[in-house]
Structure formats: structure tokens, C-alpha cells
């Protein structure tokens, strides 16, 4: 068996949303298909993935380096020991040939997206949902049935008032979610505190509301927000500053007793190791949010989790960025803390299978082989076009 082709395309998210740091008007994502010569149900098995949201499409790196390396490799060098399936660890190593250490983001998104698509193919060839394959390999077979899931939302939009924000949250609670995350930092502190108080009236408890500053704050503003937010004892305060500014993050953690969250803008095990080593974060309460397809993929996540475990961090502290089916399977398979959701935003790239059920803040894991993008009609239309 072999990979016969890998195809990619760039798709626009077409979103009018804005957070504290940037708007999404030019945002794109790369969609990837890894096509094999294995035949199931009358056609070749293809694995799919996309590079989540918030980082631009990265087709140039895929086309110039990573896809040619895989397609040129002798097929048997990419297979598992039994020769009956692809081995994602070997595919990752193949893509990393002749890559200089460090400087991760230039390639981690391209590599991670292809790697996750390989896993989709692996699970389809095995005839199992991806989360089961991951649970067997990385979690002693313990697969979750349902995964805790919170809503990322509360973006700033033209003309959107506090009442509209409350309506947004109510609509999410009506879908079965219990916990909401809203953006902060795109307004003044008094305005944002009004938004938080209005949101708390709807969710009814500080531990059901998180806030996200998208790494937009300088030192003065990060510390001022930490002080203003402290009395609310929120579920978490996300990205108060650049995640690589360990000194400032440690100062925020020193002043802010409740949970902090960060990591969606870190792309390597080494970056996360530095974050927990020097950023003042606390394993008993803080949350790590690395986006898996953006940070080299699933094999590398297993290495990051092992590094974290050696430093006293449990898997339940990890809530990967990216409200999509890839993240859902990864959280369920590895037994991580939970998953994000963005119902109704980011077009076809948000959300889960069309028949997914949200109940009491949890979402069910699908039973289809692979990641199951085939049950997400709008997104699968984009993916299917790649293989026809
Ligand atoms: Mg965030």
C-alpha cells in the first residue's frame, strides 16, 4: 500500500469577526487530502484535514517541501511494522528531513495539517473512528464517549451591543452548551467589565464564563485586566499577553489567582516546555491550548503530553484550540480536558458532524471511521472537490 497523491487548496474563511488583536477578513485555511491506493467501499481511501482557524493557509511550504518528500519516499518506509497501514510517526520524520531545528511556525502548520490528514486515512484503513485509534495507541484503550465542550465566541462585531452579546450566549445555552468564552481587550476596561457582568447574568456562574484577550496586551494593560477580572473568578483568563513573554506572563500569574489559559500560539514541544518552566503557570489550575494541526500534529502532541507529565501537568489541563472534529477526536482519544466549539461561525470550518448532539456541555464522539468529515456536508464538499 502507498500514498498515491497529496493535494491541498486554500479556502477563505469569509468572516467579519474581530478580537482584541485582529480581524478575520483576509483569513484563509489550507485543506489537505492524502490519497492512498487502499480501496474501501469502491473507492480509494483519502484522509482529510485543514489547518484549523487563526493561521493563514500554508500551501507553498506543502507544495515545495513536504508533499514531494512524502510522495518521493519509498512507500514501505512510511508503513507500520505489519505493513498493513501508514505509520504517522514515519510520515512526520519523512517531512522533517533536512529541516533546521527551531523556527517552528514556518513549517509546523503545514506539517501538522498533512499529519492529521494521514491519521484520518490511518483510521479509515483500520475501519475505526480516529478517537478509538488514538485511545488504543496513546491512552491504554480508554476512549471517552462524550467530551466536555465550551463555546468560543463573544467576538466584537460592528454594531454589536451588550444585549446582542447576551442573546448570543443565550442561543448557545439553548443548543446545550453550558460554558461560554468571550473576547476582551477590544474595548475599554469599563466597557469590557459591563460585557462580562451582562454575560454572567446569562451563564449565572463565574466558572461558566471565560475571557480571551488574544495576546493583545502590553504589560500595563495585562496587569490592569488581571486586577479588574480577579473578583469575577472566571473559568479562565486566556492569553493575557504574548505566550513567549514568560516574564510578563509570570507577573500576571503572580497577581491573578484564578485560572489562566494560553498556548494556542505556541507550535512546538520546546515552546510549551519553556512556557510551563518560565511562564509562572500553575499545574493545579491553568489551561494549555496548543492547536494540534498547527503544531506538527498528533504524534508531536503525544511528545508534548509526555513532557508535560514529567513536569506534573495532567492531560485534563489541556484544552486544544480549534472547535472542529479533529480536536474533538484528539480530546476524546487522549483523554484531554475538553474541546472548543464555534457554532455558526467560520463557515464550513466550524463545528462537528451535522448530526452531533450537544447535551449539558458535552458532545458525543462519532462512530464513523476516521475523523468523519463526510458527515459535515458543507466542509466535505470542499474536501471532496480535492479528490475528484
Ligand atoms: Mg484564544
Amino acid at each position: 500500500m502507498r500514498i498515491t497523491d497529496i493535494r491541498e487548496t486554500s479556502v477563505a474563511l469569509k468572516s467579519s469577526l474581530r478580537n482584541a488583536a485582529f480581524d478575520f477578513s483576509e483569513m484563509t485555511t489550507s485543506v489537505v487530502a492524502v490519497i492512498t491506493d487502499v480501496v474501501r467501499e469502491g473507492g480509494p481511501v483519502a484522509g482529510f484535514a485543514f489547518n484549523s482557524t487563526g493561521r493563514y493557509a500554508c500551501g507553498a511550504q506543502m507544495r515545495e517541501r513536504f508533499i514531494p518528500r512524502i510522495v518521493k519516499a519509498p512507500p514501505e518506509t512510511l508503513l507500520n511494522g505489519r505493513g498493513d497501514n501508514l505509520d504517522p510517526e514515519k510520515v512526520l520524520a519523512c517531512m522533517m528531513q533536512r529541516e533546521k531545528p527551531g523556527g517552528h511556525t514556518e513549517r509546523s502548520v503545514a506539517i501538522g495539517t498533512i499529519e492529521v490528514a494521514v491519521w484520518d486515512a490511518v483510521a479509515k484503513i483500520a475501519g475505526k473512528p480516529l478517537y478509538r485509534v488514538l485511545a488504543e495507541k496513546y491512552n491504554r484503550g480508554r476512549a471517552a464517549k462524550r467530551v466536555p465542550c465550551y463555546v468560543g465566541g463573544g467576538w466584537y462585531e460592528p454594531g454589536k451591543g451588550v444585549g446582542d452579546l447576551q442573546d448570543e450566549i443565550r442561543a448557545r445555552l439553548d443548543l446545550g452548551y453550558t460554558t461560554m468564552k468571550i473576547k476582551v481587550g477590544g474595548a475599554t476596561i469599563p466597557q469590557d467589565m459591563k460585557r462580562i457582568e451582562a454575560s454572567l447574568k446569562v451563564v449565572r456562574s463565574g466558572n461558566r464564563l471565560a475571557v480571551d484577550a488574544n495576546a493583545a496586551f502590553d504589560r500595563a494593560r495585562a496587569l490592569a485586566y488581571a486586577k479588574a477580572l480577579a473578583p469575577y473568578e472566571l473559568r479562565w483568563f486566556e492569553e493575557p499577553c504574548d505566550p513567549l513573554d514568560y516574564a510578563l506572563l509570570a507577573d500576571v500569574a503572580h497577581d491573578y489567582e484564578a485560572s489562566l489559559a494560553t498556548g494556542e500560539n505556541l507550535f512546538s514541544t520546546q515552546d510549551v516546555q519553556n512556557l510551563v518552566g518560565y511562564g509562572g503557570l500553575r499545574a493545579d489550575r491553568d489551561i494549555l491550548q496548543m492547536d494540534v494541526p498547527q503544531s506538527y500534529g498528533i504524534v508531536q502532541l503525544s511528545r508534548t503530553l509526555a513532557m508535560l507529565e514529567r513536569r506534573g501537568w495532567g492531560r485534563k489541563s489541556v484544552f486544544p484550540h480549534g472547535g472542529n472534529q479533529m480536536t474533538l477526536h484528539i480530546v476524546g482519544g487522549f483523554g484531554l480536558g475538553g474541546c472548543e466549539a464555534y457554532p455558526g461561525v467560520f463557515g464550513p470550518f466550524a463545528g462537528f458532524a451535522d448530526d452531533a448532539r450537544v447535551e449539558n456541555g458535552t458532545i458525543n464522539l462519532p462512530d464513523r471511521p476516521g475523523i468523519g468529515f463526510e458527515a459535515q456536508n458543507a466542509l466535505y464538499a470542499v474536501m471532496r472537490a480535492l479528490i475528484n
Side-chain angles (χ1 to χ4, degrees):
M1 61 168 300
R2 56 188 282 267
I3 293 171
T4 56
D5 199 6
I6 302 178
R7 297 178 193 164
E8 58 77 33
T9 189
S10 168
V11 183
L13 292 188
K14 293 189 192 126
S15 171
S16 63
L17 302 175
R18 181 174 68 84
N19 61 38
F22 64 93
D23 69 71
F24 287 84
S25 59
E26 296 180 353
M27 188 61 69
T28 53
T29 187
S30 283
V31 179
V32 172
V34 172
I35 305 164
T36 73
D37 66 350
V38 178
V39 173
R40 292 277 188 279
E41 293 170 12
V45 171
F48 299 101
F50 62 96
N51 74 355
S52 192
T53 43
R55 293 277 151 183
Y56 290 87
C58 47
Q61 295 95 316
M62 293 182 184
R63 287 190 300 274
E64 284 166 19
R65 312 209 300 276
F66 307 121
I67 293 172
R69 282 178 197 160
I70 294 171
V71 172
K72 270 191 234 155
E76 65 278 9
T77 63
L78 303 178
L79 301 184
N80 66 12
R82 289 188 303 278
D84 63 0
N85 209 330
L86 297 166
D87 184 335
E89 198 164 342
K90 291 180 183 167
V91 178
L92 174 63
C94 175
M95 286 191 276
M96 287 297 285
Q97 292 173 89
R98 296 177 290 281
E99 290 293 315
K100 188 176 180 180
H104 298 282
T105 28
E106 187 273 330
R107 60 176 171 249
S108 69
V109 186
I111 290 178
T113 306
I114 294 171
E115 199 261 15
V116 172
V118 168
W119 276 104
D120 185 31
V122 164
K124 283 173 178 163
I125 291 167
K128 296 173 185 177
L130 177 61
Y131 74 92
R132 281 200 192 283
V133 173
L134 297 179
E136 285 164 16
K137 184 160 176 65
Y138 296 115
N139 201 23
R140 288 183 277 162
R142 292 172 304 190
K145 282 234 165 9
R146 304 189 66 82
V147 161
C149 194
Y150 73 94
V151 178
W155 279 279
Y156 298 97
E157 289 177 81
K160 181 176 176 180
V162 164
D164 300 314
L165 175 62
Q166 287 182 312
D167 288 345
E168 177 191 350
I169 299 172
R170 260 184 225 111
R172 303 312 184 223
L173 299 187
D174 288 347
L175 292 174
Y177 295 100
T178 58
T179 304
M180 183 82 191
K181 180 173 81 185
I182 64 167
K183 299 297 178 187
V184 291
T188 65
I189 291 183
Q191 285 168 338
D192 269 339
M193 296 310 126
K194 281 208 184 89
R195 294 171 66 249
I196 288 169
E197 282 169 24
S199 303
L200 285 169
K201 281 196 184 122
V202 183
V203 296
R204 293 210 187 92
S205 162
N207 67 12
R208 293 185 161 193
L209 183 71
V211 294
D212 183 1
N214 289 91
F217 295 159
D218 60 13
R219 168 167 289 270
R221 209 140 180 254
L223 294 171
Y225 265 84
K227 192 170 178 191
L229 292 170
Y232 300 110
E233 297 183 4
L234 299 176
R235 179 68 184 85
W236 68 65
F237 173 17
E238 180 169 321
E239 286 204 303
C241 62
D242 189 307
L244 295 177
D245 191 342
Y246 307 129
L248 175 53
L249 191 60
D251 287 347
V252 172
H254 178 269
D255 284 7
Y256 188 76
E257 188 143 326
S259 298
L260 294 170
T262 190
E264 72 178 76
N265 292 302
L266 295 180
F267 302 95
S268 72
T269 302
Q270 292 85 344
D271 284 340
V272 179
Q273 182 174 313
N274 286 338
L275 177 81
V276 299
Y278 304 108
L281 294 184
R282 302 145 302 185
D284 65 347
R285 74 197 82 165
D286 293 328
I287 302 297
L288 303 173
Q289 303 173 298
M290 293 69 71
D291 188 306
V292 181
Q294 294 184 1
S295 47
Y296 290 114
I298 290 170
V299 170
Q300 197 62 39
L301 171 69
S302 75
R303 295 171 183 162
T304 300
L305 293 174
M307 176 280 293
L308 286 169
E309 198 180 343
R310 290 194 295 275
R311 285 161 177 76
W313 286 77
R315 292 185 176 194
K316 298 292 180 200
S317 301
V318 180
F319 282 66
H321 174 261
N324 55 59
Q325 287 211 83
M326 301 177 287
T327 308
L328 181 68
H329 280 271
I330 289 163
V331 170
F334 280 92
L336 306 181
C339 189
E340 188 170 10
Y342 324 106
V345 294
F346 297 128
F349 296 100
F352 309 103
D354 296 337
D355 58 357
R357 294 183 310 277
V358 181
E359 273 168 37
N360 196 24
T362 67
I363 186 160
N364 63 301
L365 284 154
D367 253 336
R368 302 171 189 89
I371 293 171
F373 288 121
E374 291 78 358
Q376 238 181 308
N377 259 322
L379 178 53
Y380 191 61
V382 177
M383 293 173 162
R384 195 177 45 217
L386 272 179
I387 57 171
N388 284 340

